[in-house]
Amino acid sequence: MDTQMTEATKNKRSPRAPKIVINADDLAHIEALAEGAYQRNPALADRLLDELGRARIVKPEKMPADVVSIGSTVTYRDGTTGQEKSVTLVYPEDADIARQQVSVMTPIGVALLGLSEGAAFFWDTRDNQRRMLTVVKVEQAGPAGPEG
């Protein structure tokens, strides 16, 4: 068991949120989305802005390959069921659940943004069950061509 978990257990608190890294090129767009969501979903907007506030912002060329960013395909494992699921994190206008393209403006999108491989986080399901999800693998989209 890692040290952070042990200390968190001693303190009787949930583990500290995992560190996150955000691509500087995505920051302004994500902030604008969060601010625009305040009227529709203030809790989600607050959570996203909190995540951005604690994130380490890096230039695109310094973005680690194993960190979830817009366009990344991430595989995560549910610690309760052992099931793995792969989704691609996208902006809301590109979201398509049938193609496993999840918006950054959804609870799972906010939770995954900026996490690196191996990071674990708590997730509350729609039926109020708390689950531990772990990022298993992160794959980056290829370099954007002239169309992107």
Side-chain angles (χ1 to χ4, degrees):
M1 186 173 228
D2 86 13
T3 326
Q4 278 186 331
M5 280 296 238
T6 310
E7 287 171 356
T9 307
K10 278 188 230 164
N11 294 337
K12 305 255 190 264
R13 284 190 211 132
S14 59
R16 250 194 353 241
K19 291 178 183 166
I20 62 173
V21 180
I22 305 286
N23 184 329
D25 282 0
D26 295 335
L27 183 62
H29 192 165
I30 295 169
E31 283 177 331
L33 288 169
E35 288 165 11
Y38 259 111
Q39 290 181 326
R40 294 183 314 280
N41 192 339
L44 183 73
D46 271 341
R47 176 140 185 239
L48 181 53
L49 288 170
D50 285 349
E51 292 289 287
L52 293 177
R54 71 182 190 80
R56 184 168 58 99
I57 310 302
V58 300
K59 293 179 180 170
E61 61 273 11
K62 300 277 188 188
M63 191 69 188
D66 68 343
V67 170
V68 180
S69 58
I70 300 297
S72 299
T73 298
V74 57
T75 302
Y76 60 91
R77 180 183 313 111
D78 182 320
T80 303
T81 66
Q83 286 185 309
E84 289 189 3
K85 183 171 184 173
S86 293
V87 297
T88 301
L89 189 65
V90 298
Y91 288 120
E93 59 271 21
D94 299 320
D96 182 351
I97 201 65
R99 295 174 59 203
Q100 283 75 47
Q101 293 177 321
V102 173
S103 169
V104 68
M105 294 305 297
T106 60
I108 191 71
V110 170
L112 290 170
L113 181 67
L115 292 179
S116 57
E117 287 179 5
F121 61 99
F122 285 110
W123 173 252
D124 293 322
T125 65
R126 287 192 178 118
D127 22 339
N128 289 324
Q129 294 179 339
R130 178 152 274 204
R131 302 262 178 93
M132 174 68 82
L133 300 183
T134 303
V135 176
V136 177
K137 184 177 181 186
V138 178
E139 297 171 88
Q140 301 303 333
E147 74 284 347

